[in-house]
Amino acid sequence: MSRNPNQGPAGDAAAGPRPNPDGVLAPPLRFGYGTNGLADLRLDDALDLLADLGYDGVGLTLDHMHLDPLAPDLAARTRRVAHRLDALGLGVTVETGARYVLDPRRKHGPSLLDPDPDDRARRVDLLVRAVRVAADLGAHAVHCFSGVLPAGTDEDTAWKRLAETLTPVLEAAAGAGVPLAVEPEPGHLLATLADFHRLRRALGDPEPLGLTLDIGHCQCLEPLPPADCVRDAAPWLRHVQIEDMRRGVHEHLPLGDGEIDFPSVLASLAATGYRGLTVVELPRHSHAGPHFAARSLPFLRRAAGLAATAAPPAPVPPHGDPSATPEGSSTP
């Protein structure tokens, strides 16, 4: 199969480059689809589907059905996937949100916050493996999240555990040259953008630490609209997940089925100069994954086209500008 003509800096002609507020052409957005929404497909079939549909890349969740991070010969299997991605012209982000990859009885367990240090070490090992996989695949980031606050653990202790457990992962990420993109997840210890900044400051703002921004989560619980969240998050943005959602309800919905103003979100995202993938995140729609993958890309392209014809959004502060650090508020 030939390379995807939309992959890489040349981008998607349907969206097209647009001038950012200083008059410089911003790169077009690059859209992907998450394999956690294609769990009923073999990985090769999922990648073929996404390339045929015209996606620029894939959010690859390391799981037992898609590049199992715990099975033998991981390096050799990763090389084969890298060759396949290259042949198809697909970019990649490595995601680590598999539900039962470490424990068949505990969803997302063990986490970085578990009271048992051996359990925390298992999660750290998974993330370090993910960093190595990402480096071998040429991925633009590794995604992760904190986990929920364990019963009987106070928040101060949990925050200390999170900083301690992420330190070796960040060291591995620095050595591999792959950013670690932490996702604020509703219901987790690190749930909001304000929580991300708490972690960033606690760790001393390490260079490899970045942010996964889930647009639906912004709609669900952030105090600002999603487009404003994008602007505030821009200096730390390393990965973007996208789906529709309603205020106050953490349910990933197909694009157009919720409340999000996608043209305004994509206009803000384009204005940041973000070069990574924007990955559709529909993990509970795998039963009809090919249908939703086929439906989502035209929706995003139409929204990006509308964004390109709208008035440009406000300028985004450069990375490192102290005024760009939102102090924010806690989850409403």
Side-chain angles (χ1 to χ4, degrees), residues 15-42:
R18 57 169 292 161
N20 62 23
D22 61 8
V24 178
L25 284 180
L29 298 175
R30 301 171 59 220
F31 297 119
Y33 200 91
T35 59
N36 61 0
L38 297 169
D40 294 315
L41 275 66
R42 298 177 182 88

Side-chain angles (χ1 to χ4, degrees), residues 46-77:
L47 298 180
D48 285 346
L49 171 71
L50 298 181
D52 286 347
L53 291 174
Y55 280 92
D56 302 298
V58 58
L60 176 58
T61 296
L62 302 183
D63 208 344
H64 62 87
M65 79 292 282
H66 292 154
L67 194 55
D68 187 341
L70 303 181
D73 302 319
L74 178 59
R77 290 183 290 113

Side-chain angles (χ1 to χ4, degrees), residues 117-179:
D118 290 337
D119 276 351
R120 296 199 299 272
R122 291 171 60 203
R123 178 61 62 172
V124 170
D125 175 71
L126 175 67
L127 295 181
V128 171
R129 286 171 181 254
V131 168
R132 290 199 296 264
V133 168
D136 290 344
L137 293 179
H140 72 81
V142 171
H143 149 277
C144 71
F145 44 54
S146 69
V148 301
L149 181 68
T153 300
D154 64 87
E155 286 200 9
D156 286 344
T157 298
W159 280 106
K160 289 175 183 176
R161 283 180 189 162
L162 182 59
E164 290 170 358
T165 51
L166 280 180
T167 295
V169 184
L170 289 165
E171 291 171 352
V178 179

